[in-house]
Amino acid sequence: GQTGRLPLALQIVQKAVSLQPNLVSAHVQLANLLRQEGNCSGAIEELNIALRLQPDNADAHNDLGLVHLAESQFQRAADCFAEALQLDPASGLTHYNMALALDALGSPAAAIEHYQEATRLRPTLAEAHYKLGMLLDREGRRKRAIECLRAASELRPGTAFALLCEARILGLTDDDKASEE
């Protein structure tokens, strides 16, 4: 699936599921491939099977949240992420996903908390630093926003992502200079 051969990956994982229908990880993997293919209803079905087999599987709850996030069902996504975090509060990636859902729901303070936790637990997650910086800027916390954008840029030096972060930083610092004059 990660090499761009999605049809073959789907075929292999579907075979694994048919051979071992109680293997939770196979259902989760099939759901992820179906989500990549754009088959959200199939992904939800597989994740529900995984959760019936293993209700305390934090990864399955997180992945179900990702499907709901992809379908712009932000409250359902947040509910899934909350369940995943209850089972595994140390998952930086799930905190990041929760922040995405909360931001979309119009809860910036809660989103900031989860982005901060994501960057603490997973300091190399450049996207979390970037999103936190952008949200802090929207909330008028420019100095801290610049720090976050700088951290995001430093995690991906020499990339288009880093250039995007640097451009945003320049925009924020230019605004500061203009307001000083």
Side-chain angles (χ1 to χ4, degrees):
Q2 294 176 352
T3 62
R5 298 169 62 189
L6 189 57
L8 179 59
L10 276 164
Q11 184 180 14
I12 293 168
V13 176
Q14 285 169 333
K15 180 72 171 174
V17 166
S18 70
L19 293 173
Q20 294 193 11
N22 292 330
L23 185 61
V24 172
S25 61
H27 288 284
V28 171
Q29 183 59 40
L30 180 55
N32 286 325
L33 293 170
L34 289 168
R35 181 171 51 91
Q36 285 178 34
E37 185 184 51
N39 182 352
C40 289
S41 62
I44 290 170
E45 184 179 324
E46 290 300 321
L47 289 165
N48 283 332
I49 292 169
L51 289 168
R52 276 196 301 277
L53 294 168
Q54 190 178 28
D56 62 346
N57 187 306
D59 291 334
H61 285 286
N62 180 66
D63 291 351
L64 185 56
L66 288 173
V67 176
H68 291 308
L69 200 59
E71 293 190 313
S72 299
Q73 296 177 347
F74 303 120
Q75 187 57 60
R76 291 178 98 177
D79 293 342
C80 292
F81 298 137
E83 184 67 30
L85 286 170
Q86 188 172 16
L87 295 165
D88 182 11
S91 172
L93 197 53
T94 305
H95 279 283
Y96 172 76
N97 294 335
M98 176 62 99
L100 292 172
L102 291 169
D103 191 18
L105 285 168
S107 299
I112 286 170
E113 287 180 30
H114 283 280
Y115 281 134
Q116 288 173 332
E117 190 65 5
T119 60
R120 185 185 72 76
L121 292 168
R122 208 162 167 183
T124 59
L125 186 58
E127 292 82 359
H129 291 279
Y130 176 79
K131 292 279 192 177
L132 177 57
M134 297 301 290
L135 186 52
L136 288 168
D137 177 42
R138 278 195 346 237
E139 294 296 302
R141 296 167 61 186
R142 186 166 291 161
K143 183 177 179 182
R144 179 71 178 111
I146 290 169
E147 292 170 3
C148 293
L149 292 168
R150 192 161 285 124
S153 174
E154 290 170 359
L155 287 167
R156 298 245 186 98
T159 65
F161 178 79
L163 291 173
L164 174 68
C165 293
E166 292 299 325
R168 188 69 191 135
I169 291 167
L170 285 173
L172 292 174
T173 55
D174 283 349
D175 287 349
D176 282 346
K177 290 176 187 171
S179 67
E180 288 175 5
E181 294 174 2

